[in-house]
Amino acid sequence: MEVTDLVIPEGVTSICGNAFYGVEGIKSVTFPESVTSIGSDAFAFTGLETVTIPKGVTEISSGTFQHCSKLESVIIPEGVTTIGDGAFNHTALREMTLPSTITSMMQSFYSCDSLVTLTLTPGIIDLGGSFYSCHALTAVNIPGSVKTVGYSDFSNCTALATATLNEGTEDVSLRGCENLATINFPSTIKEVYIKGSTALETVTLNEGLEEIGSFDDCSSLKRINIPSTVTYVGTFKNCYAL
């Protein structure tokens, strides 16, 4: 008999790596509060549709739910600090809220092509290149607790139109976000690198900025100011409208 609704019994504390790997019939899983560890690839390539991570779990291991092509909803509680490499890649998540306790991620949500809404709670420290090629993501508000927005954090998010940065963030790199038209730069920004944002027309930078790495391939960029604090100006290749 095929298992569709999996119930983990009370008292179980750990689910080993690859435990249910490839069991496509599983549509739901109920975890007891006793579970504190879920191993790598434990539910990869299954038919899961929704998941609620138990409160005792602090780390979601690498590949735990990867390639669950029907997985649309995940609840991650406060207390989770680490989301491993590719933990949710190639899933059908439509929205995601990440708790303030996250200190480490690593390419955790890449190629989630249905992800439209992302909520990053202030307190999160590291994005770890986790949202590249999330092609449906239209807006992102990055809390100031994230000091560095790395080049792969949101690269190739082709529908991303608005990026809001907040006081506290110091370095930002955005590549291949072709529909990015609005970027809010706070006064704490020290380094900027933007490439391939062909919808971007106007950029306002604040005093305190030190380095402009690039605005390459921003073909619609018409206006940009360079603050007096800037000590390095990189390239503006193919900025035809400037």
Side-chain angles (χ1 to χ4, degrees):
M1 182 177 178
E2 185 177 61
V3 175
T4 58
D5 301 307
L6 178 64
V7 179
I8 307 296
E10 187 64 46
V12 172
T13 60
S14 179
I15 298 172
C16 73
N18 298 294
F20 299 97
Y21 183 101
V23 183
E24 296 179 358
I26 297 176
K27 295 182 178 180
S28 70
V29 57
T30 302
F31 295 103
E33 291 301 314
S34 56
V35 168
T36 58
S37 173
I38 304 173
S40 299
D41 296 308
F43 294 92
F45 293 90
T46 64
L48 280 175
E49 298 173 357
T50 64
V51 168
T52 298
I53 303 298
K55 294 180 180 179
V57 170
T58 59
E59 178 179 356
I60 300 173
S61 301
S62 61
T64 301
F65 300 98
Q66 68 169 318
H67 289 274
C68 292
S69 60
K70 297 178 181 179
L71 183 59
E72 295 186 359
S73 175
V74 172
I75 297 174
I76 299 176
E78 289 286 326
V80 171
T81 61
T82 302
I83 304 179
D85 188 2
F88 294 96
N89 77 73
H90 295 283
T91 56
L93 293 173
R94 297 182 181 276
E95 59 182 77
M96 172 54 59
T97 298
L98 292 176
S100 64
T101 49
I102 297 291
T103 58
S104 176
M105 293 193 288
M106 180 60 69
Q107 301 178 348
S108 304
F109 297 90
Y110 73 80
S111 293
C112 288
D113 289 335
S114 298
L115 186 64
V116 175
T117 304
L118 174 65
T119 302
L120 300 171
T121 307
I124 291 173
I125 295 174
D126 182 20
L127 300 179
S130 289
F131 301 99
Y132 72 83
S133 295
C134 289
H135 296 299
L137 190 64
T138 57
V140 64
N141 189 327
I142 302 169
S145 53
V146 178
K147 300 302 181 186
T148 299
V149 180
Y151 75 92
S152 62
D153 287 341
F154 296 97
S155 65
N156 297 323
C157 290
T158 52
L160 188 66
T162 303
T164 301
L165 307 171
N166 290 278
E167 294 293 316
T169 297
E170 298 179 356
D171 304 331
V172 59
S173 180
L174 297 167
R175 305 186 186 195
C177 302
E178 59 190 48
N179 283 300
L180 186 62
T182 304
I183 311 174
N184 174 66
F185 293 104
S187 63
T188 52
I189 289 290
K190 303 298 183 185
E191 298 182 17
V192 172
Y193 186 104
I194 309 295
K195 183 176 182 179
S197 296
T198 56
L200 190 64
E201 295 186 3
T202 302
V203 170
T204 302
L205 301 170
N206 297 303
E207 291 292 314
L209 183 70
E210 297 173 357
E211 180 175 322
I212 298 174
S214 169
F215 277 89
D216 286 355
D217 302 320
C218 296
S219 55
S220 297
L221 184 63
K222 298 177 181 179
R223 183 177 300 172
I224 183 172
N225 67 302
I226 298 179
S228 63
T229 50
V230 170
T231 58
Y232 175 83
V233 177
T235 56
F236 287 79
K237 185 175 66 176
N238 297 327
C239 290
Y240 304 118
L242 191 62

